[in-house]
Amino acid sequence: MGYAAARGGLTAIRNAEDLVRTLRDMDESEQIELDQFIGRLRLLVDRIMGEAGMWEPRLAALAIRQAEGDHIESVHLLRAYKSTLPRIASTEPIHVDDMRLLRRVVPAFREPGGPQILGRSTDYSARMLDPRSGSGATASLEPEVATHVADNSSSVQTNTPRLMNVLRDMDLLTDRRRTDDPEPFDITRTPARPPAPRSARLSSMARAETGALLNQWYRNILGPDGYLHEVTLGEVRHGELPIRIKHPYTNGSVSIGSLRVTEVEAIEDLNGVDEDRDRFDIGYGLCLGHNERKAIAMANLDIACHRDGSKSSLEQSILLTTDGLDSAGFLEHLKLPHYVTFRSMMERKIAVRNARPSVQKGDKA
Amino acid sequence: MPSNLLIDSDIPEIDSREGRSSLLAQANTDELTSLVDRLLEEAELSSQLRIVRSPHTGTVQFQVREPVCEERFYLADVVVTVAEVAIGNHLGWAMRVGTDRRAALAAAVADALFESGHKEACGSLQSLITVTRRELIDQRQSEWAQLNKTIIEFEELD
């Protein structure tokens, strides 16, 4: 790899940028307001915040609008912006049990304890284009009451124990709980390289490009790698976590708001020779916003990495190849002038040819 | 009972400084800024107001504790704006999610006003955070009313 910097053409570059701005901003249609992105394209906004590793829906919406909907470019804009900001503090450690649920399904158990809440989902619906979607014509302000309503209380969400704890109570789960509470690895300060602590893998996957993570999972299930096998999902949750900060004067806890996350537990059937075969183990996925594909892939890859124990290249693939900005940046740099690089390659070809006296120019021997 | 079960879990109380700061962080921007502007003017406190740390935007690292190994990891950064002021000898601090510096400054002034014990200002601000708290609960109840209708009980086929 290598390319030489080029200079010149500044006016053309400025004009090209201006063309992007002008054609985008002077389009005959009405400008899309930021609230519209947040309210009507929430999954796109969520995905971009997750891959940027930054929670701020309005800035994410702004990035999408500026990038003309290019999601990697939007992530790039947000990461570039974030790099200009000082880091003021860390939140208190927020336990995921503090999540206020907006959705919960448990594919492994029909009656997991607590309700299964479909929430905002089209998982069980036929996919048909609807010309009226988004127009308000399809809105139902009074949805039909479900046949089986476990609890219609307006003040209590009802008991929602974690399936993991149900398995723990049945002594069916390998106990990997730690008591030493290691400091988390900060991938924004130090690049994570294998073998990395689990906190580095979880952070890396949480901000990985969704498609890249999905591909890692799929090529390990059906593709050539095969380092993991299909698991059963325990909890699939979407909900809100509080953002708690220590008050600088009192040291008490201040909740300055909340953010939404998707969380997944993947139950692994241990079957290795040196594994605890009469118990299960669990992989864990958590990412910003509502992005179930990403959290499911993450949970699968988390347990796969743990079982693999750095014997294969799986961890390396996750840490080094799933960041969307890294991969897209490398790919797109190929569009930049490579004149000197390519000229030197051509010169080498010609030199090789000239060094072979027996071969006439034009011969393919 | 785990804390995630109650609709009003993590809804701050109004009788502690931390609770008030939490509610000021989540109060409606326009209502907060216009109220603080009015209070400073009416109470003639503007001359006593000192900016200790001008409002500035930065990030806080959001760390979570996951349930499998009970390990912490950094999920992402949250964009926040923080400000610090003083009214006389009373310090006020605020942090709000987002980039609105005016709102962060207003929240810090409100915190200092609470600390100063200024009767009229405290009364008005108390009303604001009481309304904010009520709105947070109402929003969750209305959300739950919709979610409750999507509770499902699957049946196994023989």
Side-chain angles (χ1 to χ4, degrees):
Chain A
M1 180 194 72
Y3 66 95
R7 60 190 298 182
L10 194 57
T11 306
I13 290 169
R14 283 186 177 143
N15 287 341
E17 281 181 11
D18 192 49
L19 200 56
V20 170
R21 277 193 294 270
T22 305
L23 293 180
R24 177 193 65 205
D25 297 345
M26 303 307 286
D27 188 76
E28 287 178 1
S29 62
E30 284 186 30
Q31 171 161 288
I32 317 173
E33 298 302 325
L34 299 185
D35 287 343
Q36 289 178 283
F37 286 98
I38 296 166
R40 293 171 182 263
L41 299 175
R42 68 182 176 102
L43 297 174
L44 178 62
V45 172
D46 283 2
R47 177 173 172 176
I48 283 162
M49 287 193 293
E51 293 176 15
M54 187 179 107
W55 180 267
E56 221 296 74
R58 284 190 74 76
L59 290 177
L62 181 63
I64 298 166
R65 190 169 71 182
Q66 183 179 330
E68 300 180 280
D70 181 334
H71 105 266
I72 293 281
E73 188 67 22
S74 309
V75 169
H76 197 161
L77 288 168
L78 287 184
R79 289 229 194 136
Y81 172 76
K82 189 170 76 166
S83 73
T84 68
L85 298 177
R87 182 169 279 161
I88 295 171
S90 285
T91 63
E92 294 182 351
I94 312 297
H95 201 292
V96 287
D97 282 348
D98 288 352
M99 187 189 300
R100 194 171 67 81
L101 295 178
L102 299 171
R103 169 168 159 80
R104 182 216 189 197
V105 290
V106 185
F109 256 47
R110 191 168 72 85
E111 293 174 329
Q116 300 208 43
I117 309 164
L118 297 184
R120 204 169 168 175
S121 174
T122 55
D123 278 354
Y124 315 93
S125 312
R127 265 56 170 186
M128 288 188 290
L129 276 175
D130 184 352
R132 300 171 306 158
S133 62
S135 68
T138 56
S140 169
L141 295 175
E142 290 296 330
E144 190 181 339
V145 176
T147 312
H148 301 289
V149 175
D151 184 342
N152 61 4
S153 161
S154 63
S155 61
V156 179
Q157 277 205 12
T158 74
N159 195 11
T160 48
R162 196 175 277 282
L163 182 64
M164 187 187 302
N165 293 335
V166 175
L167 296 177
R168 269 187 188 135
D169 290 345
M170 296 166 77
D171 195 24
L172 282 173
L173 195 63
T174 299
D175 195 349
R176 290 200 278 135
R177 283 173 288 187
R178 299 177 65 154
T179 53
D180 53 348
D181 197 21
E183 201 57 34
F185 189 99
D186 183 359
I187 61 167
T188 65
R189 291 279 188 263
T190 314
R193 296 288 179 264
R198 182 164 172 263
S199 62
R201 292 201 302 266
L202 293 174
S203 291
S204 298
M205 289 194 281
R207 74 170 199 173
E209 202 267 320
T210 306
L213 216 53
L214 177 59
N215 174 261
Q216 283 289 333
W217 173 80
Y218 205 46
R219 70 173 283 143
N220 275 282
I221 291 284
L222 293 184
D225 292 349
Y227 299 134
L228 63 109
H229 56 77
E230 199 173 331
V231 300
T232 309
L233 297 184
E235 300 276 345
V236 178
R237 294 177 169 205
H238 174 226
E240 283 183 352
L241 286 175
I243 305 166
R244 294 197 197 107
I245 298 288
K246 216 168 234 174
H247 195 291
Y249 304 156
T250 68
N251 274 335
S253 181
V254 177
S255 177
I256 60 169
S258 61
L259 52 76
R260 283 180 298 99
V261 293
T262 304
E263 182 192 39
V264 167
E265 292 171 5
I267 305 169
E268 179 72 294
D269 178 12
L270 299 176
N271 61 0
V273 177
D274 55 350
E275 290 182 316
D276 197 353
R277 290 189 187 195
D278 63 355
R279 288 189 174 82
F280 297 106
D281 205 339
I282 299 253
Y284 187 71
L286 185 79
C287 61
L288 278 188
H290 195 184
N291 190 344
E292 292 177 6
R293 269 176 230 122
K294 183 174 183 175
I296 293 168
M298 179 176 169
N300 275 254
L301 290 164
D302 173 47
I303 189 63
C305 270
H306 171 68
R307 293 186 75 197
D308 181 64
S310 297
K311 289 196 284 288
S312 75
S313 59
L314 178 62
E315 184 185 29
Q316 184 182 15
S317 290
I318 291 169
L319 294 177
L320 272 66
T321 70
T322 59
D323 187 88
L325 199 52
D326 278 357
S327 56
F330 189 24
L331 180 107
E332 294 201 45
H333 101 279
L334 297 173
K335 293 186 290 186
L336 300 175
H338 283 63
Y339 310 138
V340 175
T341 316
F342 191 66
R343 190 163 63 237
S344 95
M345 288 163 64
M346 285 199 303
E347 285 169 355
R348 279 202 303 275
K349 294 282 178 199
I350 292 166
V352 167
R353 182 178 298 171
N354 290 341
R356 285 190 291 182
S358 59
V359 179
Q360 297 299 309
K361 280 183 182 176
D363 287 355
K364 292 184 177 178
Chain B
M1 179 181 282
S3 60
N4 70 328
L5 307 182
L6 297 172
I7 286 285
D8 59 357
S9 72
D10 217 53
I11 298 270
E13 299 296 337
I14 57 174
D15 54 2
S16 69
R17 184 166 192 181
E18 292 84 1
R20 289 195 296 264
S21 289
S22 301
L23 291 164
L24 288 169
Q26 299 174 69
N28 177 281
T29 304
D30 293 337
E31 288 170 24
L32 172 67
T33 50
S34 59
L35 174 62
V36 168
D37 282 346
R38 182 172 65 76
L39 291 175
L40 283 176
E41 193 180 322
E42 286 177 4
E44 297 179 344
L45 290 168
S46 297
S47 60
Q48 294 181 46
L49 177 64
R50 188 164 49 89
I51 308 292
V52 177
R53 202 157 52 135
S54 57
H56 61 281
T57 299
T59 61
V60 292
Q61 246 180 331
F62 191 80
Q63 55 173 324
V64 292
R65 189 179 297 283
E66 57 80 40
V68 179
C69 302
E70 294 286 336
E71 275 182 291
R72 286 181 288 143
F73 72 97
Y74 294 122
L75 180 67
D77 286 286
V78 181
V79 177
V80 298
T81 302
V82 65
E84 238 173 319
V85 302
I87 294 175
N89 294 324
H90 304 286
L91 287 170
W93 169 90
M95 182 183 281
R96 285 174 59 104
V97 176
T99 59
D100 192 332
R101 296 176 188 203
R102 193 159 175 262
L105 184 61
V109 172
D111 185 43
L113 284 169
F114 267 124
E115 288 304 299
S116 75
H118 189 283
K119 198 174 172 185
E120 190 191 334
C122 286
S124 300
L125 289 167
Q126 191 85 358
S127 301
L128 175 73
I129 61 174
T130 303
V131 168
T132 301
R133 189 175 191 280
R134 186 68 251 168
E135 284 172 351
L136 288 172
I137 293 171
D138 288 348
Q139 185 191 335
R140 289 189 184 183
Q141 281 181 334
S142 134
E143 213 165 50
W144 177 239
Q146 290 179 313
L147 294 177
N148 198 25
K149 293 169 182 167
T150 70
I151 289 176
I152 191 165
E153 289 181 12
F154 288 105
E155 292 172 30
E156 287 181 55
L157 300 176
D158 295 328

